PDB file of all heavy atoms in Angstrom:
ATOM      1  N   GLN A 191      -6.146   1.407  -1.529  1.00  0.00           N
ATOM      2  CA  GLN A 191      -7.015   2.224  -0.674  1.00  0.00           C
ATOM      3  C   GLN A 191      -6.349   2.529   0.647  1.00  0.00           C
ATOM      4  O   GLN A 191      -6.480   3.632   1.169  1.00  0.00           O
ATOM      5  CB  GLN A 191      -8.347   1.487  -0.456  1.00  0.00           C
ATOM      6  CG  GLN A 191      -9.215   1.420  -1.694  1.00  0.00           C
ATOM      7  CD  GLN A 191     -10.427   0.537  -1.497  1.00  0.00           C
ATOM      8  OE1 GLN A 191     -10.487  -0.303  -0.610  1.00  0.00           O
ATOM      9  NE2 GLN A 191     -11.413   0.721  -2.379  1.00  0.00           N
ATOM     10  N   ALA A 192      -5.631   1.561   1.197  1.00  0.00           N
ATOM     11  CA  ALA A 192      -4.925   1.785   2.462  1.00  0.00           C
ATOM     12  C   ALA A 192      -3.801   2.826   2.262  1.00  0.00           C
ATOM     13  O   ALA A 192      -3.624   3.687   3.124  1.00  0.00           O
ATOM     14  CB  ALA A 192      -4.315   0.470   2.989  1.00  0.00           C
ATOM     15  N   ARG A 203       0.958  15.117  -0.738  1.00  0.00           N
ATOM     16  CA  ARG A 203       0.725  14.911  -2.170  1.00  0.00           C
ATOM     17  C   ARG A 203       1.431  13.604  -2.530  1.00  0.00           C
ATOM     18  O   ARG A 203       2.281  13.127  -1.795  1.00  0.00           O
ATOM     19  CB  ARG A 203       1.265  16.104  -2.963  1.00  0.00           C
ATOM     20  CG  ARG A 203       0.497  17.354  -2.668  1.00  0.00           C
ATOM     21  CD  ARG A 203       0.930  18.578  -3.382  1.00  0.00           C
ATOM     22  NE  ARG A 203       2.138  18.419  -4.188  1.00  0.00           N
ATOM     23  CZ  ARG A 203       2.781  19.436  -4.717  1.00  0.00           C
ATOM     24  NH1 ARG A 203       2.375  20.659  -4.547  1.00  0.00           N
ATOM     25  NH2 ARG A 203       3.871  19.231  -5.444  1.00  0.00           N
ATOM     26  N   ALA A 207       4.545  11.749  -0.599  1.00  0.00           N
ATOM     27  CA  ALA A 207       4.329  10.464   0.042  1.00  0.00           C
ATOM     28  C   ALA A 207       5.331   9.423  -0.458  1.00  0.00           C
ATOM     29  O   ALA A 207       5.847   8.612   0.319  1.00  0.00           O
ATOM     30  CB  ALA A 207       2.900   9.990  -0.186  1.00  0.00           C
ATOM     31  N   VAL A 210       8.579  10.003   1.319  1.00  0.00           N
ATOM     32  CA  VAL A 210       8.521   9.517   2.707  1.00  0.00           C
ATOM     33  C   VAL A 210       8.614   8.002   2.750  1.00  0.00           C
ATOM     34  O   VAL A 210       9.314   7.442   3.590  1.00  0.00           O
ATOM     35  CB  VAL A 210       7.244  10.024   3.402  1.00  0.00           C
ATOM     36  CG1 VAL A 210       7.032   9.342   4.742  1.00  0.00           C
ATOM     37  CG2 VAL A 210       7.285  11.544   3.567  1.00  0.00           C
ATOM     38  N   PHE A 218       4.974   4.184  -6.474  1.00  0.00           N
ATOM     39  CA  PHE A 218       3.972   4.574  -5.470  1.00  0.00           C
ATOM     40  C   PHE A 218       2.614   4.771  -6.127  1.00  0.00           C
ATOM     41  O   PHE A 218       1.593   4.309  -5.623  1.00  0.00           O
ATOM     42  CB  PHE A 218       4.400   5.872  -4.763  1.00  0.00           C
ATOM     43  CG  PHE A 218       3.519   6.231  -3.620  1.00  0.00           C
ATOM     44  CD1 PHE A 218       3.850   5.797  -2.323  1.00  0.00           C
ATOM     45  CD2 PHE A 218       2.371   6.978  -3.780  1.00  0.00           C
ATOM     46  CE1 PHE A 218       3.040   6.115  -1.240  1.00  0.00           C
ATOM     47  CE2 PHE A 218       1.555   7.295  -2.715  1.00  0.00           C
ATOM     48  CZ  PHE A 218       1.890   6.869  -1.451  1.00  0.00           C
ATOM     49  N   GLN A 219       2.611   5.427  -7.278  1.00  0.00           N
ATOM     50  CA  GLN A 219       1.395   5.696  -8.009  1.00  0.00           C
ATOM     51  C   GLN A 219       0.688   4.371  -8.406  1.00  0.00           C
ATOM     52  O   GLN A 219      -0.508   4.214  -8.226  1.00  0.00           O
ATOM     53  CB  GLN A 219       1.679   6.530  -9.214  1.00  0.00           C
ATOM     54  CG  GLN A 219       0.448   6.981  -9.981  1.00  0.00           C
ATOM     55  CD  GLN A 219       0.818   7.879 -11.140  1.00  0.00           C
ATOM     56  OE1 GLN A 219       1.831   7.619 -11.824  1.00  0.00           O
ATOM     57  NE2 GLN A 219       0.037   8.902 -11.375  1.00  0.00           N
TER      58      GLN A 219
END
Side-chain angles (χ1 to χ4, degrees):
Q191 290 172 342
R203 293 181 354 192
V210 170
F218 188 93
Q219 186 178 39

